[in-house]
Amino acid sequence: MNRSDIELIFETADNFKTVLNRPIKKVPSLRDVTIANIFFENSTRTRLSFELAEKRLSADVVNFAASSSSVSKGETLIDTVNNILAMKVDMVVMRHPYAGAGIFLSKHVKAQIVNAGDGAHEHPTQALLDAFSIRERYGDVAGKKVVIVGDILHSRVALSNILCLKQLGAEVMVCGPTTLIPKYIGSLGVKVEHNLIKALNWCDVANMLRIQMERQDIKYFPSLREYTMMFGLNKQILDSLDKEITVMHPGPINRGVEITSDVADSKQSIILDQVENGVAIRMAVLYLLAGQTQ
C-alpha cells in the first residue's frame, strides 16, 4: 500500500465514522455482498469489529471458527476456503497463525481476502486504525514521534504500524528488552531504545504492546515482574515526563504488566477511541475492496 491508498481509506473512514454516530448506524453499501469471517486463532475485538463493520454496511455475514470445523479433521486451508466460496461468498476476512497465509490464499482462490492478522507477521487494519486515531488526535500523522514499546519480536501490530507510520511521514522508535527487539529492525528505518523513560520523553505517542506469552517458546526475560519494573508504564512515570503524551494499546490489555489501570483509563489514553475507529476503518476497507469485485 502507498500513502494515497492509506489516505483514501482514512477519508472513507471519516465518512463512515459520521454514519456510526447517527441514530441509524446502517448504510446499504454492501447489500447482497456475502462476507465470510474465517478465524483460525482466537479473537475478540478484531472479529467483533469486522462483524459489526460488515453488518453496518448491510452485508450478509458468515462466521467460521476453525476449532469447530473440518480443519480439525485434516482439511487444507485452500479446500476449506474453496468450499466456502462454492456457497457464493464474495469476500473473506481471515486470521491465521502462519505468516503469509492471506497472500498465499489470494493466489489460489478467486475472492477478495482481508488479512485480519497472520501469525507474528502483519495486522494491516490494526495499523490503519492506530494511524487514523493519531490523525484524529493531532490532525496529522506526518512529523509525529511514535514509540512502540514491548514485545516487538512477536508482534504483528508492531510491524504493520512501522510500515504504515513510515508511509505517512511519522518518526518511529521501538523500545523493549534486547531479546524482544528483532535483529533486522534497523533496516526498517526505526530508532531502537532500551530505556523506557528516554523513549517516552522523545515521543508524542506511546503504543504499548502486551507480552505475547502464547508465541514465546523460550524465556526472553527473567519474569513478568522484572519486565513490568523496566518497561511497564504507570501514572507516576506518565506524570514525570516533560510533556503530555498520548497512550495507545492494540488490546487485549494485561493490566499491571505493560500498563497500569490508572494509565489505561486516564485522559491521555485513546485506547477506546482506537476500538471505535476500528469499526470505521474496517467499513472503509471492506467498502473499497467490494468496489473492486463488482
Side-chain angles (χ1 to χ4, degrees), residues 4-158:
S4 58
D5 293 333
I6 297 169
E7 295 289 357
L8 175 62
I9 290 170
F10 285 178
E11 285 159 22
T12 312
D14 282 331
N15 294 326
F16 283 132
K17 191 153 186 198
T18 311
V19 169
L20 291 172
N21 288 312
R22 295 191 320 212
I24 297 171
K25 299 173 176 62
K26 216 166 183 179
V27 285
S29 310
L30 296 193
R31 189 177 287 160
D32 297 329
V33 173
T34 306
I35 304 174
N37 297 320
I38 306 179
F39 280 71
F40 292 87
E41 272 189 333
N42 295 337
S43 171
T44 306
R45 262 159 313 282
T46 305
R47 199 185 65 206
L48 281 177
S49 187
F50 267 112
E51 193 174 336
L52 260 177
E54 290 149 11
K55 288 179 174 174
R56 298 280 187 246
L57 291 166
S58 304
D60 296 318
V61 181
V62 183
N63 285 313
F64 168 98
S67 55
S68 56
S69 74
S70 291
V71 172
S72 57
K73 301 175 186 173
E75 188 174 57
T76 67
L77 175 62
I78 294 174
D79 282 342
T80 300
V81 176
N82 273 329
N83 274 282
I84 291 168
L85 295 178
M87 301 176 205
K88 302 295 178 249
V89 168
D90 305 294
M91 296 171 75
V92 172
V93 174
M94 183 174 77
R95 168 167 290 186
H96 201 278
Y98 296 136
I103 297 267
F104 168 77
L105 195 60
S106 68
K107 289 175 179 170
H108 290 87
V109 302
K110 286 185 170 64
Q112 299 286 12
I113 312 291
V114 180
N115 181 5
D118 56 335
H121 180 230
E122 281 213 57
H123 194 349
T125 55
Q126 180 69 44
L128 288 167
L129 74 89
D130 287 346
F132 184 77
S133 300
I134 294 171
R135 170 179 171 267
E136 187 178 67
R137 182 82 162 198
Y138 291 102
D140 197 4
V141 179
K144 294 293 166 284
K145 295 177 175 178
V146 182
V147 65
I148 303 170
V149 183
D151 187 356
I152 311 297
L153 185 64
H154 300 96
S155 174
R156 52 184 166 222
V157 174

Side-chain angles (χ1 to χ4, degrees), residues 228 232-235 254-265:
T228 303
L233 179 56
N234 57 43
K235 199 76 170 75
N254 288 331
R255 288 174 182 256
V257 181
E258 71 273 6
I259 189 171
T260 56
S261 288
D262 48 5
V263 173
D265 303 329

